[in-house]
């Protein structure tokens, strides 16, 4: 076994041990309460689950990027869709933004605390009036002698209720369209920062999702992340990693729902035979397996390209589109094979089904992904 395989096996075991001990016994209750307790992030931090691929100088494990994606996939495979979404934001999106764009002072201040779970993070892009159209955002950040004054609102923010740190996308030059966007590291305890109550959703109930409001919120000049006016370029630069995380979730969740279904159809009988013996069942599951294996191969290809710095927006869009649509289709087919039981909350297949649905919406809708792919072929 190579060193890389040994590392992967060790982390795989560690991740599963943590999830089985700290998450599985409580997850049902968190789903019912529509919230994961804030302390869970400290627990995950202490267990070494946060910042797996972050440098050791900030308290990370310094492991490979593939292992950080494995963590997302395993959380999703166990049916913890809400946790997978929040984890992807905190550990796979906000941390890399800081690592790649932050000053040394910003990295020293935030990353160790984020890796410990003492600071939970969110990223605020989407606005009530502009969903996937990031260039149309209205939140503004006006530069003054004392700092930047931020005004506006964001919606559908994952980790929004608990986050102590939020990367806020705002227009520093409202006239400049996409070129006027800047990113800010906003401390949620500052005056002028407020949150709406949690948004109720059809799935991923345990994931806290909120509306955020900024009213004359003053942040210091050094809260700027990267350079002024480069925000949109940074978003485009970091989106492939976010979409890889969503792809890893899709693969993990599909593996999880397929395993449940294989088990069920071999035990359940109808018309004097196992449900597994009907040709329809066999063909549906064979097709699901084939799609999953092709999806895994493409995910691995994209991870390889990302590591070489060669993964572009088109590849990320193809990955996001195909893997999330696959996840929804297979969750739907699997639920059907459970019959009436599939529609009950007692059977976890129902949670895989409802948790899957948002995957084709957040991090860029399937329609936006198709447009990105079409532009690479036909231009604007």
């Amino acid at each position: 076994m190579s060193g890389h395989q040994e590392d992967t096996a060790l982390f795989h075991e560690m991740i599963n041990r943590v999830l089985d001990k700290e998450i599985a016994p409580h997850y049902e209750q968190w789903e019912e309460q529509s919230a994961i307790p804030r302390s869970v992030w400290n627990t995950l931090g202490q267990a070494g689950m946060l910042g797996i691929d972050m440098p050791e100088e900030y308290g990370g494990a310094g492991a490979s990027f593939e292992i950080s994606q494995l963590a997302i996939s395993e959380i999703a495979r166990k049916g913890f869709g809400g946790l997978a979404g929040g984890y992807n934001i905190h550990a796979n999106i906000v941390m890399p933004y800081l690592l790649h764009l932050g000053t040394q002072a910003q990295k020293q201040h935030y990353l160790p605390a984020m890796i410990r779970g003492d600071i939970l993070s969110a990223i605020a892009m989407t606005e009530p009036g502009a969903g996937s159209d990031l260039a149309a955002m209205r939140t503004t950040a006006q530069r003054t002698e004392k700092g930047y004054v931020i005004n506006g609102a964001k919606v559908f923010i994952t980790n929004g209720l608990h986050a102590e740190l939020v990367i806020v996308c705002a227009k520093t030059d409202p006239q400049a369209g996409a070129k006027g966007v800047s990113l800010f590291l906003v401390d949620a305890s500052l005056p002028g920062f407020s949150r709406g109550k949690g948004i109720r959703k059809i799935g991923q109930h345990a994931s806290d999702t909120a509306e955020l409001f900024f009213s004359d919120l003053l942040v210091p000049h050094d809260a700027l992340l990267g350079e002024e006016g480069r925000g949109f370029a940074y978003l485009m630069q970091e989106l492939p990693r976010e979409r890889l995380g969503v792809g890893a979730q899709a693969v993990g969740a599909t593996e999880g729902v397929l395993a449940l279904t294989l088990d069920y159809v071999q035990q359940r009988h109808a018309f004097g035979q196992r449900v597994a013996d009907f040709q329809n069942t066999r063909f549906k599951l064979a097709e699901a397996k084939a799609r999953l294996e092709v999806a895994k191969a493409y995910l691995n290809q994209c991870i390889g390209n990302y590591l070489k710095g060669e993964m572009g927006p088109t590849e990320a869009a193809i990955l996001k589109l195909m893997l999330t649509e696959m996840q929804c289709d297979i969750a739907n087919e699997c639920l059907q094979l459970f019959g009436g039981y599939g529609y009950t909350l007692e059977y976890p297949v129902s949670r895989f089904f409802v948790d899957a649905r948002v995957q084709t919406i957040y991090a860029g809708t399937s329609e936006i992904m198709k447009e990105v792919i079409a532009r690479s072929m036909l231009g604007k």
Side-chain angles (χ1 to χ4, degrees), residues 136-180:
M137 69 177 65
R138 292 199 186 137
T139 298
T140 57
Q142 194 175 358
R143 190 183 171 95
T144 67
E145 277 180 29
K146 291 181 179 173
Y148 291 89
V149 178
I150 302 176
N151 281 287
K154 300 287 181 179
V155 73
F156 307 133
I157 307 307
T158 301
N159 298 341
L161 285 179
H162 285 148
E164 288 89 11
L165 169 68
V166 183
I167 294 181
V168 176
C169 312
K171 288 265 181 84
T172 36
D173 183 351
Q175 267 63 58
K179 291 192 171 68

Side-chain angles (χ1 to χ4, degrees), residues 18-19 23 39-50 83 87:
V18 174
L19 295 176
I23 307 299
S39 59
V40 169
W41 297 99
N42 295 88
T43 303
L44 291 175
Q46 285 156 13
M49 282 275 293
L50 304 177
L83 177 61
Y87 182 93

